[in-house]
Amino acid sequence: MFQLGDEVTLYSLVFVLALLGTRSPVWSTVITTSLCLFLAMFRFPLVATSRARQVLHPVAGKVSAVAHRGGGHDAPENTLAAIREASRNGATGVELDLEFSADGIPILMHDETVDRTTNGSGPLSKMSFSELRRLNAAAKHRFRSKFVVEKIPTLEEAVKECIKLQLTIYFDVKGHPDEAAAALKDMYKRYPVLYNSSIVCSFEPKVIYRMRQSDPEVLTALTHRPWSLSTLGDGTPRFSSVWKHHWMTMMDILLDWAHHHLLWKLCGVSAFLIQKNFVSQNYVQYWAQRGVEVVAWTINTKVEKEYFQEVLHINYITDSLVEDCEPHY
């Protein structure tokens, strides 16, 4: 589980940085001790390993293939049709994006606007559920002739469909920590089977921490892509300004360090979802020594899938269960 070496490294680094900043051994000791007490008082323990294994590996000894947004290459993303198609194509689970309508209804949607995936236009935050329900979530999909009309589903509709099909759910929460925690807590209360068949994931540590506060028994994961503050998903710099790019690169280094040494521990996560380019056998071993499983994303070619299944033996998230495709960021 948690390694003693991690504790020594963390507090030693904090002490040295505090000493450089304050030039006072006394204040450095106070700051380091305060961090130690903070973590001891406010961090969440990991969920039992046996239950984490049950959720992440519902078929014992087998790697799980998880359909990204329900498998957005094979069917309209974040729809009931995608969930059913993923099940037919052999997925072990589905990753679904939780968002909210303007009137607070929890729904499935990845983007902040409806433009990319539906026949509508405008920000999600300005549209009521009744307005969203009139849109066609299959309108711009490559298989729109097969999936003629698909509604934007509610969170509960998606949960019920996944339970019926015995699919593990990876709830991907983009923001709204309080609203998301309340909505998910309600789902877990109404459908207790979720405790053994789902995990809550987010790029935002505050979302995961809030979820553990709401219900400490919920399995959680941090999602991370190194250099995400300074570059886009395809590696393109986010900023044209050289100075801003370098500043955000420094912030990326800090964020990466925090994820690997502090935030995972504070939140008590059971899994770490990481962009595929940064996964190696040593990386998987690093987390295994801490009782945390690695899940890689997004794995979209046959060769990559064989590598993650047969060499690394870790779960992966994919846009398609049936063919090679380009990743969706």
Side-chain angles (χ1 to χ4, degrees), residues 16 41 47 69 101 181 188 195 197-198 257 262 274 279-280 286 289 294 297 310 318 326:
V16 170
M41 292 175 63
V47 171
R69 306 178 197 171
S101 63
Y188 279 87
Y195 285 105
S197 63
S198 70
W257 181 87
L262 183 63
I274 184 78
V279 182
S280 66
Y286 171 88
Q289 291 171 351
V294 173
W297 53 272
E310 298 170 16
T318 180
E326 292 297 317

Side-chain angles (χ1 to χ4, degrees), residues 55 82-83 121 137 208 253 255 287 328:
V55 172
I83 293 171
S121 180
I208 299 305
I253 293 171
L255 181 63
W287 282 113
H328 296 168

Side-chain angles (χ1 to χ4, degrees), residues 1 46-58 195-196 219 270 291 293:
M1 301 300 283
L46 272 66
V47 171
T49 303
S50 58
R51 189 153 66 81
R53 191 178 298 116
Q54 181 180 354
V55 172
L56 295 167
H57 299 283
Y195 285 105
N196 296 318
L219 204 70
S270 300
E293 291 217 22

